[in-house]
Amino acid sequence: MQITTGDDACKALASAWTTIIDECRAVLGGELHYQAMVYHALRTAGVPLRQVGMNVKQMIRDPRTEVFQALMGTRHEDYRAGVEPIPDVVLFNEGVGGDWRRRNAEATLKAMLLAIEIKASERDRRRLTFAEISWDIRKMAAQREEVSVRYGHRFIPVMMVIDVAPQENERMRRHDMTRCCDLASDLEVDWYYVGPKEETRPRRWHYPVVGDA
C-alpha cells in the first residue's frame, strides 16, 4: 500500500476499520492494548512499517493556538519551553524515514498525514465522559492548526473511542456520545466509535469498507 497523501491515509484506515471493530470487540483491555490493536490492524491492511508510529512524542514551541497556550500556562515556569503532544498512532508520508524519535520532532510534524487519539472504556467504576473526550478533540484540532501555521499542511485528526465494555453503565452515555460527535464535526476532527453492537465512522469519507452494504 502506497501512502503519500492524507487521502491515502484515510483509505488505509478504512481498510483496517472492520478488523479494528472485530478484534476490539473480542477482547477487553486498556487503552495501550487497543492502541496496539489499531496499529496491528493498520499494518495488516498494508501500511508500510516505516510510515506508522505509536506514541509519537513531539514538541511544539511557542504555540499559537489558545488551547495549547492555555495548556502551557498550567505548567511550572521551568517547563514552558513548549507543548509536547503524543499522538497514539500516526500515519506519515515517506519523508519521516522511519524515524519518529523525540529528537526528530520537527520532521514528524512536517510528515504527519493522519493522527489518531484513542480512548477506551477501561475506567474502574466510571465511564468515559464528554469532558474527557472533548478535551482530546480540541487538542487534536489545535495541533492540526499549529502544524498548518508552521508547515503549510493540514494533517487529518482522528478521535477513536473503543467503548466495548459489556455493561451499559460502563459505557459512554448516549447524550455525551452525541455531543462529542457534534463537536468533532464542528472542529473537523474525524469521529470513529466502536461499541459492543454499533459503530460510527465519518460519512464524508466514502472509501469502501469490508462489510459495507
Side-chain angles (χ1 to χ4, degrees), residues 125-143:
R125 287 189 255 280
R126 68 184 185 91
R127 63 180 95 198
L128 292 171
T129 65
F130 172 75
E132 183 176 4
I133 301 299
S134 64
W135 174 239
D136 280 338
I137 292 171
R138 294 182 191 281
K139 284 193 297 183
M140 295 286 285
Q143 185 174 1

Side-chain angles (χ1 to χ4, degrees), residues 6-205:
D7 194 57
D8 294 336
C10 288
K11 290 178 181 178
L13 183 52
S15 296
W17 183 229
T18 298
T19 300
I20 291 170
I21 293 169
D22 292 344
E23 295 196 353
C24 287
R25 283 176 177 166
V27 299
L28 298 174
E31 282 174 2
L32 288 175
H33 184 77
Y34 289 119
Q35 289 170 22
M37 294 179 77
V38 171
Y39 173 91
H40 172 74
L42 288 165
R43 290 283 294 120
T44 300
V47 176
L49 174 66
R50 289 166 57 85
Q51 289 184 246
V52 55
M54 279 184 61
N55 296 307
V56 179
K57 294 179 173 63
Q58 299 173 314
M59 172 62 75
I60 295 177
R61 301 184 186 278
D62 187 25
R64 321 287 176 81
T65 60
E66 291 183 6
V67 170
F68 280 176
Q69 286 175 352
L71 183 60
M72 192 167 64
T74 63
R75 297 182 172 182
H76 188 277
E77 291 183 3
D78 294 341
Y79 300 96
R80 293 184 183 176
V83 175
E84 189 178 56
I86 309 175
D88 293 330
V89 179
V90 181
L91 298 185
F92 299 100
N93 64 36
E94 294 177 339
V96 76
D99 182 357
W100 38 87
R101 295 173 296 173
R102 181 182 277 132
R103 69 184 66 184
N104 204 33
E106 185 172 12
T108 66
L109 288 168
K110 290 180 179 179
M112 292 175 77
L113 296 175
L114 182 148
I116 307 173
E117 186 71 22
I118 298 167
K119 281 290 182 285
S121 50
E122 63 165 331
R123 310 298 190 264
D124 183 22
R125 287 189 255 280
R126 68 184 185 91
R127 63 180 95 198
L128 292 171
T129 65
F130 172 75
E132 183 176 4
I133 301 299
S134 64
W135 174 239
D136 280 338
I137 292 171
R138 294 182 191 281
K139 284 193 297 183
M140 295 286 285
Q143 185 174 1
R144 177 190 56 212
E145 296 311 310
E146 297 282 358
V147 170
S148 177
V149 167
R150 285 167 172 77
Y151 308 116
H153 82 278
R154 288 163 61 90
F155 73 86
I156 297 163
V158 171
M159 185 72 234
M160 185 177 294
V161 176
I162 309 298
D163 200 24
V164 295
Q167 302 300 321
E168 184 177 353
N169 63 4
E170 298 174 327
R171 301 192 295 271
M172 289 186 74
R173 292 181 173 87
R174 175 64 58 177
H175 71 276
D176 278 355
M177 187 166 59
T178 299
R179 291 173 67 198
C180 287
C181 185
D182 289 345
L183 177 63
S185 178
D186 290 343
L187 296 180
E188 297 183 349
V189 173
D190 284 0
W191 171 261
Y192 286 78
Y193 177 87
V194 183
K197 295 182 179 180
E198 66 175 302
E199 64 273 352
T200 305
R201 66 184 175 97
R203 289 304 171 191
R204 65 190 181 93
W205 298 115

